[in-house]
Structure formats: structure tokens, C-alpha cells
């Protein structure tokens, strides 16, 4: 499958998953908003009904007090003409007439209709006459009841709001009303409430009060008919409101989690596909480079072997020596390339064993520089060293550390500018318990986008049409592996057409 096709499929699938995830998030947001609105509406309805219940309670108390007061006055008068039967009294109505009346208060006691009394006086009347008498008595009783309610209503309007809220409201009954109305509204979670009087002073707070959730409270006027300046309020908040809202939508969480898991799996799959494709390309490049690297020495050895078959070569010791030298050099070159591949394979499998010992890096680098000077001078270049480290002792494998320095210098030669003399500078210095080593050249440099990839296996920086730079792309990967195994770090700084600088940090022996 082409890379562009994979990209298109990946983008389409990724956008589909992101779109699905976005829709789920928006749906959850809408559900949370709706649940909040439903919760708020239910609380407001419940609080409004609580205020009505409180008003009913107060009205009932006024009626009971007024009836008791009237009963006491009737009893104190001691007049037999006010008594028509047990619990019945003759009351002066607003029109001045006298009405036989049995009071019915707003209590749980069952009411009873007036009973007909059979006496010598009533015995002479007929049943229709008796019925008309009872009907007139009920009418007069209704008129009085209505007049009594009107009188109580006027008293409530003019006198009730003057009383302190503590005398008008039973706080325990208020708590009971709140609990029952919240349950009726489907809100069965803990709540806390306080009562604020007309002066804005908190006169009551529930015994189990806590401040959690009080930043969002519901406020309801207790007596809606009171003057504005005398209104008292009840203030309620729910500490577990967020949990209550979340519990109502938590069924959406698993689907959202599954979508995220699928999205992560898809991203990992796409990443694996591209990585596999990249590794395949790198493998192909490696095989091509290896074929080229092996083909040259093999061809040279084959040609030299054919020349040795020529009888004239045996007659010329000098030519024989030259051909033998060529075969020997190309064999070493071939063996070096094979060892390089096998070496990286061993390091990948973590089977390589480092022979650690104390190493004076100034001495080691100085030896490598002396050996490498001839190669640099062959390109009309020069190599300088400034080994300024006061403490150059590290603990490491001398052979592998030597190969690291050699590989970095060899890269400088490979990637030098063709029209400019090579300048190579090696430095050492100490820095906070570490030995610092830098290898700097004035070569073609490396682009910023390629700089972070140069330590990957088989990766080779593209050099355009330049084909004289050979290798497998294993040198810097090997360098990185060796430095890491020595608990050190390596980084590169480079600018195109300016040069490259590799900086190595190794822990000192005493640290």
C-alpha cells in the first residue's frame, strides 16, 4: 500500500474517531446542563411548596388562637342563652343576629353536623319545618365562618409580619417540610438550610450544617405576602449535588472510555504501520549499501586472484608483493564491514561484554589524534587538540571508546567540503563531575530536521548527488550505544555549510 494511501486512510479514520468523541463530549455536556436545569426547577418547586405549607401552618395557628379566644369569652359570660348544646354557642354575627354554631377548627378531630333535638317545643313542628330551621342555622354558620376567616386574614396581614421569624416558624417543622417536598420532587440527597430574617441576620442554621456546596444556594421567601422590607428567607444548598448529577449520566462514561481506547489503538496501529514501512525502507537501503560495500572488496580480491594466475606475475616479486598487499587490505576492509554489522547485532541482543578499566582520556585521545593525523593531512587538512581536562580519568572499555573517537573523526573526513581544506578540532574539559569531549569540523553540516535522526540505525544523511560517501549508517548508532552503556550522553550541534560539533559527557571515575 502506498504511503499516501495510508496517510489518507489514517486521516479519515482519525477524524471519524475524533468526531465521535466530540459528539459524545457535547452530548454529555448537554445532559449535564439538562440535569442541572431539572434539578434547579425541582428544588424551586419544592421550596415554593414549602413556603405555602409554612403559610398554611401560620393561618391554622391564627384560626385556632382566634377560636380559643372566642370560646373563652363565651364561657366567661356564663349566659345560658349562648349555649344551644354541648360545644355550641350563640354568637353575634356582623348583622347583629344570634346564630347557634359549633366551631370546627383545622385539627384532626372529626367534625359533626348539628343534631336535631326532639323536645316538647319541637315536637309540635313538622319535619319540613324542622329541615328549614336547620338549613337557616347552617347558612348563618357559614356566614360566621366566612366572617371569621376574613377577620383572621386581616389580622395576619396587619399583625403577623411584625412578629420575629422565630415566633412565626417552627424550624423543626420547616425541616420536615423541606425533606418531604424534596423527596416528592425526586431529590433524595443530603441538604443543609438556614433561615435569614428581615434584617438579613441568620437566625437559624440546621444542626448538621457544613459549608461544602454553599457557594451555590437556593433562596426562597417564607411568607410571600409580607411587605418587601419585612420578608424572611430560607437558604438551602446541596453538598452532593455534583455527585447526584454525575450519577445520572455515568452510563455515558464507559462508551466514552471505549472510544478513547479505540482512538489510542488506532493511533498506535498507524504509528506501527509507518514505523514498519520506515524500517523496511531502511532495511532496503542497508542491503543496497552492504551489497555495494561488499561488492568492491570482493571484486578487487577476485581481480587480484586472477592476476596471480598470470605466470608473468610470479616472475616479478615487486608486482606479486603489490597484489598480495591489495588482497590483504581488501580482506581487512571486508572483515571490518562484517564485524561492524555483527557488532551492532550483538549490542541489540545485549550480548556484548565491556572490559571496563581506568582510562586517561587525554592520553587515549592524543593517541587517536596522532594516528589520524596522516589521514587528515592526505586531504590537505589539519587537526588540532586542546586537552584541557584537569581530571581525565573515566571507567570504560578502552577499545570501544577508541572506536567512538575514531568514528567521529572519520565522519568529519567523509563529510568534508570538497572545495575547502578540512579543519578538525578535539577538546576535553571538566564540568560538574563529568568529562566533556568535543569533536568539531568545518564540513558540509547537517540540516536541523535530520539532526535528531543521525543516531538511528541505518540512517544516513542525504547528500544529494554525492555518491562517494560509503557506509551502512551504523557508525553513529554504534557511538550512541557505547556512550549510553558507559552512562554518558552525546549530542550534536550543526549548521549547513558551517560544520558539525559532537559533544560527549562521561562520568568521571571518582563519581
Amino acid at each position: 500500500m502506498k504511503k499516501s494511501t495510508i496517510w489518507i486512510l489514517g486521516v479519515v479514520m482519525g477524524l471519524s474517531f475524533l468526531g465521535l468523541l466530540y459528539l459524545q463530549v457535547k452530548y454529555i455536556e448537554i445532559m449535564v446542563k439538562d440535569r442541572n436545569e431539572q434539578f434547579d426547577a425541582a428544588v424551586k418547586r419544592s421550596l415554593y411548596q414549602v413556603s405555602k405549607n409554612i403559610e398554611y401552618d401560620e393561618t391554622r395557628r391564627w384560626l385556632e388562637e382566634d377560636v380559643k379566644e372566642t370560646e373563652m369569652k363565651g364561657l366567661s359570660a356564663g349566659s345560658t342563652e349562648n349555649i344551644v348544646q354541648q360545644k355550641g354557642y350563640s354568637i353575634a354575627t356582623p348583622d347583629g343576629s344570634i346564630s347557634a354554631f359549633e366551631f370546627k377548627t383545622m385539627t384532626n378531630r372529626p367534625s359533626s353536623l348539628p343534631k336535631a333535638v326532639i323536645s316538647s317545643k319541637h315536637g309540635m313542628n313538622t319535619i319540613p319545618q324542622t329541615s328549614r330551621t336547620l338549613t337557616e342555622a347552617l347558612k348563618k354558620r357559614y356566614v360566621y365562618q366566612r366572617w371569621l376567616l376574613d377577620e383572621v386574614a386581616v389580622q395576619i396581614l396587619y399583625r403577623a409580619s411584625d412578629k420575629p421569624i422565630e415566633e412565626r416558624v417552627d424550624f423543626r417543622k420547616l425541616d420536615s417540610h423541606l425533606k418531604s417536598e424534596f423527596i416528592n420532587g425526586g431529590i433524595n440527597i443530603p441538604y443543609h438550610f438556614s433561615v435569614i430574617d428581615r434584617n438579613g441576620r441568620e437566625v437559624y442554621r440546621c444542626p448538621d450544617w457544613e459549608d461544602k456546596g454553599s457557594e451555590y444556594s437556593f433562596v426562597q421567601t417564607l411568607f410571600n405576602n409580607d411587605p418587601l422590607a419585612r420578608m424572611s428567607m430560607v437558604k438551602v444548598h446541596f453538598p452532593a449535588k455534583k455527585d447526584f448529577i454525575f450519577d445520572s449520566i455515568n452510563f455515558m462514561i464507559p462508551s466514552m472510555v471505549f472510544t478513547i481506547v479505540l482512538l489510542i489503538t488506532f493511533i498506535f496501529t498507524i504509528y506501527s504501520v509507518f514505523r514498519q514501512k520506515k524500517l523496511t525502507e531502511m532495511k532496503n537501503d542497508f542491503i543496497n549499501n552492504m551489497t555495494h560495500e561488499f561488492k568492491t572488496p570482493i571484486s578487487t580480491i577476485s581481480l587480484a586472484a586472477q592476476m596471480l594466475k598470470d605466470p608473468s606475475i610470479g616472475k616479478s616479486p615487486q608486482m606479486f608483493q603489490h597484489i598480495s598487499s591489495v588482497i590483504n587490505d581488501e580482506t581487512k576492509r571486508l572483515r571490518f564491514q562484517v564485524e561492524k554489522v555483527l557488532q551492532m547485532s550483538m549490542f541489540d541482543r545485549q550480548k556484548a561484554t565491556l572490559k571496563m578499566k581506568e582510562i586517561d582520556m587525554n592520553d587515549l585521545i592524543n593517541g587517536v589524534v596522532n594516528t589520524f593525523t596522516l589521514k587528515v593531512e592526505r586531504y590537505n587538512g589539519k587537526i588540532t587538540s586542546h586537552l584541557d581536562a584537569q581530571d581525565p580519568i573515566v571507567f570504560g572499555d578502552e577499545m570501544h571508546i577508541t572506536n567512538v573517537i575514531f568514528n567521529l573523526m572519520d565522519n568529519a573526513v567523509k563529510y568534508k567540503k570538497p572545495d575547502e581544506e578540512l579543519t578538525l578540532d578535539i577538546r576535553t574539559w571538566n564540568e560538574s563531575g563529568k568529562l566533556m569531549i568535543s569533536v568539531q569540523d568545518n564540513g558540509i553540516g547537517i540540516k536541523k530536521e535530520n539532526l535528531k535522526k543521525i543516531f538511528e540505525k541505518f540512517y544516513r544523511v542525504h547528500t544529494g548527488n554525492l555518491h562517494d560517501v560509503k557506509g551502512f549508517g551504523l557508525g553513529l548508532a554504534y557511538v550512541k550505544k557505547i556512550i549510553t552503556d558507559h552512562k554518558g550522553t552525546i549530542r550534536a550541534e550543526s549548521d549547513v555549510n558551517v560544520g558539525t560539533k559532537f559533544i560527549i559527557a562521561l562520568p568521571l571515575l571518582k563519581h
Side-chain angles (χ1 to χ4, degrees):
M1 186 179 292
K2 293 183 179 180
K3 190 173 182 178
S4 58
T5 305
I6 298 176
W7 264 111
I8 292 172
L9 289 176
V11 169
V12 171
M13 292 295 293
L15 290 177
S16 299
F17 275 113
L18 289 175
L20 180 61
L21 190 61
Y22 173 78
L23 290 176
Q24 289 180 332
V25 171
K26 291 300 293 183
Y27 182 66
I28 291 177
E29 288 181 356
I30 293 172
M31 288 185 66
V32 169
K33 182 179 178 181
D34 290 344
R35 293 292 188 274
N36 271 306
E37 291 176 354
Q38 293 171 6
F39 182 88
D40 294 352
V43 171
K44 290 176 181 178
R45 286 195 302 269
S46 300
L47 289 177
Y48 178 77
Q49 187 59 44
V50 168
S51 71
K52 298 298 291 183
N53 293 341
I54 295 298
E55 290 179 336
Y56 295 153
D57 290 344
E58 184 179 50
T59 303
R60 185 178 63 194
R61 283 198 306 272
W62 277 93
L63 286 171
E64 290 175 349
E65 291 174 2
D66 192 85
V67 168
K68 287 180 181 178
E69 183 180 351
T70 304
E71 287 180 347
M72 293 301 297
K73 287 180 180 179
L75 290 174
S76 63
S79 175
T80 58
E81 65 179 353
N82 293 332
I83 304 176
V84 294
Q85 60 179 17
Q86 188 178 6
K87 295 184 182 180
Y89 305 97
S90 298
I91 305 299
T93 59
D95 58 1
S97 62
I98 303 299
S99 172
F101 171 72
E102 180 182 7
F103 290 101
K104 178 185 178 184
T105 60
M106 295 179 67
T107 65
N108 293 325
R109 290 178 298 170
S111 62
S112 61
L113 293 173
K115 298 179 180 179
V117 179
I118 305 298
S119 65
S120 60
K121 181 178 178 180
H122 291 87
M124 302 298 295
N125 295 333
T126 63
I127 291 177
Q129 290 175 336
T130 303
S131 177
R132 282 195 299 272
T133 302
L134 289 175
T135 302
E136 290 176 358
L138 287 174
K139 287 181 179 179
K140 291 179 180 180
R141 179 178 177 183
Y142 168 74
V143 171
Y144 173 76
Q145 289 276 27
R146 188 177 64 182
W147 171 82
L148 184 62
L149 289 174
D150 291 342
E151 180 69 18
V152 170
V154 171
Q155 292 179 8
I156 291 175
L157 287 175
Y158 284 95
R159 293 169 53 193
S161 60
D162 291 334
K163 289 186 176 182
I165 191 66
E166 298 92 330
E167 298 180 12
R168 300 179 67 186
V169 178
D170 184 343
F171 296 129
R172 285 181 297 178
K173 187 169 286 187
L174 172 60
D175 189 12
S176 176
H177 285 318
L178 287 170
K179 184 175 183 179
S180 61
E181 292 300 332
F182 286 151
I183 292 176
N184 291 338
I187 304 172
N188 192 15
I189 58 175
Y191 64 90
H192 303 290
F193 74 97
S194 61
V195 178
I196 312 297
D197 67 5
R198 59 191 177 185
N199 298 319
R201 181 174 56 90
E202 186 178 82
V203 297
Y204 181 79
R205 177 180 284 185
C206 62
D208 59 344
W209 173 273
E210 62 177 80
D211 291 330
K212 181 183 178 182
S214 60
E215 64 276 3
Y216 188 77
S217 302
F218 298 88
V219 179
Q220 173 64 43
T221 303
L222 286 176
F223 299 97
N224 292 319
N225 292 320
D226 283 357
L228 291 176
R230 298 181 179 181
M231 282 187 172
S232 301
M233 296 174 294
V234 60
K235 196 173 182 180
V236 183
H237 69 273
F238 300 86
K241 178 185 175 183
K242 291 182 179 178
D243 295 334
F244 179 77
I245 299 297
F246 176 78
D247 290 341
S248 66
I249 63 168
N250 58 5
F251 67 93
M252 282 295 299
I253 302 301
S255 65
M256 191 171 177
V257 171
F258 291 148
T259 303
I260 293 174
V261 170
L262 287 175
L263 179 60
I264 294 173
T265 304
F266 170 73
I267 292 173
F268 179 75
T269 303
I270 293 296
Y271 170 78
S272 298
V273 169
F274 277 104
R275 181 174 176 80
Q276 188 64 39
K277 188 173 181 62
K278 181 181 178 182
L279 290 174
T280 302
E281 293 174 352
M282 291 168 61
K283 182 191 70 173
N284 293 335
D285 291 341
F286 168 73
I287 292 174
N288 293 334
N289 289 330
M290 185 176 65
T291 302
H292 180 79
E293 291 290 333
F294 286 173
K295 185 178 180 180
T296 301
I298 290 174
S299 299
T300 304
I301 292 172
S302 178
L303 179 60
Q306 291 178 8
M307 293 177 64
L308 287 176
K309 291 180 180 180
D310 189 347
S312 61
I313 297 298
K315 297 177 182 179
S316 175
Q318 186 176 0
M319 182 61 69
F320 186 83
Q321 183 68 27
H322 174 70
I323 294 175
S324 300
S325 177
V326 169
I327 293 174
N328 185 59
D329 291 343
E330 292 302 318
T331 303
K332 287 182 179 179
R333 179 181 173 188
L334 187 61
R335 185 171 62 248
F336 176 75
Q337 300 292 1
V338 172
E339 287 178 354
K340 219 173 189 181
V341 176
L342 294 176
Q343 198 173 53
M344 286 305 299
S345 177
M346 284 192 303
F347 272 107
D348 281 345
R349 297 175 186 176
Q350 297 181 349
K351 292 182 180 179
T353 303
L354 299 176
K355 298 178 181 179
M356 309 293 281
K357 65 177 184 177
E358 294 184 19
I359 303 173
D360 187 323
M361 288 303 298
N362 284 346
D363 290 343
L364 185 146
I365 292 173
N366 192 52
V368 176
V369 168
N370 291 334
T371 303
F372 210 77
T373 300
L374 293 175
K375 188 172 183 178
V376 173
E377 290 178 347
R378 189 167 57 183
Y379 292 97
N380 297 322
K382 61 179 180 179
I383 183 170
T384 58
S385 60
H386 300 83
L387 309 179
D388 300 326
Q390 298 297 318
D391 185 359
I393 307 301
V394 299
F395 193 64
D397 187 300
E398 184 176 5
M399 182 190 73
H400 287 296
I401 292 294
T402 301
N403 288 340
V404 165
I405 304 301
F406 182 85
N407 280 349
L408 294 179
M409 292 183 178
D410 191 51
N411 273 350
V413 174
K414 286 181 179 179
Y415 294 98
K416 76 179 193 66
K417 294 178 183 177
D419 56 348
E420 188 175 330
E421 294 182 356
L422 173 65
T423 300
L424 191 57
D425 182 58
I426 316 296
R427 295 177 181 269
T428 63
W429 69 96
N430 290 116
E431 200 174 276
S432 63
K434 295 180 181 180
L435 174 70
M436 308 300 293
I437 306 168
S438 69
V439 179
Q440 185 172 4
D441 62 60
N442 63 337
I444 60 175
I446 305 171
K447 293 181 179 178
K448 298 296 183 183
E449 59 268 23
N450 296 328
L451 201 58
K452 59 183 179 181
K453 302 177 183 179
I454 59 176
F455 295 108
E456 296 178 4
K457 284 194 303 182
F458 309 128
Y459 182 81
R460 300 183 68 207
V461 178
H462 297 291
T463 56
N465 296 322
L466 187 63
H467 298 286
D468 57 342
V469 179
K470 310 301 180 185
F472 298 152
L474 295 174
L476 290 179
Y478 167 76
V479 169
K480 173 78 171 179
K481 177 67 177 175
I482 294 299
I483 296 300
T484 303
D485 286 349
H486 283 77
K487 296 182 175 57
T489 60
I490 182 171
R491 59 188 175 90
E493 300 174 355
S494 184
D495 289 307
V496 178
N497 295 324
V498 175
T500 304
K501 181 179 182 181
F502 290 94
I503 302 174
I504 299 172
L506 292 172
L508 293 171
L509 177 62
K510 61 184 179 181
H511 290 275

